[in-house]
Amino acid sequence: MRIRFLVAAAAAAIVVGMMPSPAFAADGSGGSSIISATLTSNTIGSRSVSLVTTPAMTSALNSSTLSTGYTVTVLEAARTGTNPWKAQVSVNQLTSTLTPGTPIPVASLNLAPGAMTLTTAGTGSDAPGVGGAFVGSTADPTVSDAQDLWTNTGQLPGSIYTGTHTGAGTLTLTPPNATKLGVYTGTFTVTLFQ
């Protein structure tokens, strides 16, 4: 029934468009035209990681661990809803160019997801991940399997969302015995599973 209505309206619009009209019409009731827009799932808007911070870790006297806070922000801009979607993180082993030797394995890093902040109400519900020690991937043990930073649930696939999701937590390093002193670096890679 709806298709017939649109066809009839389109035909009427064509007829009106072809009719000659006076250049200066003093009286009239106005006119209208049909606007048609089809929005399909996952074709509009964006959801992207906009900020990842992991300050440097520095060892302290009489401590066997090093810790730092992290912050991850995901922006949604007029994004079609996805239920659920996740922010995940993986790390790679830590290596040193100053003191060549054995790298620090991914299992020495531990994730503790913390507080979640939503800046816009109604953009779903964010629940922090479980956390724990990273595990080396079976395909490449120098890179960890991904861990959930948080999972968002409650978005409707037929709705549009704009908002900011921010997760904060702690990353802890426990170097293995006999690790050489030096500056070690690695990556903290955040991806979206949507």
Side-chain angles (χ1 to χ4, degrees):
M1 186 73 169
R2 184 174 181 183
I3 294 172
R4 290 181 188 160
F5 174 73
L6 290 175
V7 170
I14 292 171
V15 170
V16 171
M18 292 180 180
M19 297 173 106
S21 60
F24 300 100
D27 293 324
S29 60
S32 65
S33 178
I34 294 174
I35 297 173
S36 176
T38 303
L39 305 178
T40 59
S41 181
N42 296 326
T43 60
I44 65 168
S46 65
R47 179 183 298 123
S48 61
V49 177
S50 65
L51 174 70
V52 177
T53 60
T54 53
M57 296 182 203
T58 303
S59 62
L61 185 63
N62 296 324
S63 177
S64 61
T65 63
L66 297 82
S67 293
T68 188
Y70 70 82
T71 302
V72 174
T73 301
V74 172
L75 294 177
E76 290 179 300
R79 173 65 159 78
T80 305
T82 305
N83 189 25
W85 63 267
K86 300 177 181 188
Q88 297 182 316
V89 64
S90 61
V91 295
N92 70 325
Q93 68 183 8
L94 303 179
T95 58
S96 174
T97 57
L98 297 175
T99 55
T102 306
I104 298 175
V106 296
S108 298
L109 289 162
N110 190 294
L111 182 74
M116 296 299 309
T117 305
L118 285 171
T119 59
T120 307
T123 56
S125 174
D126 291 333
V130 175
F134 284 93
V135 176
S137 164
T138 53
D140 180 1
T142 67
V143 178
S144 75
D145 288 333
Q147 283 198 41
D148 293 346
L149 292 171
W150 72 81
T151 300
N152 179 284
T153 58
Q155 289 190 351
L156 301 173
S159 296
I160 305 299
Y161 296 91
T162 296
T164 304
H165 306 259
T166 302
T170 305
L171 184 66
T172 302
L173 170 65
T174 305
N177 288 335
T179 300
K180 294 182 180 182
L181 299 178
V183 177
Y184 290 80
T185 58
T187 58
F188 184 90
T189 304
V190 177
T191 55
L192 296 177
F193 179 77
Q194 40 191 351

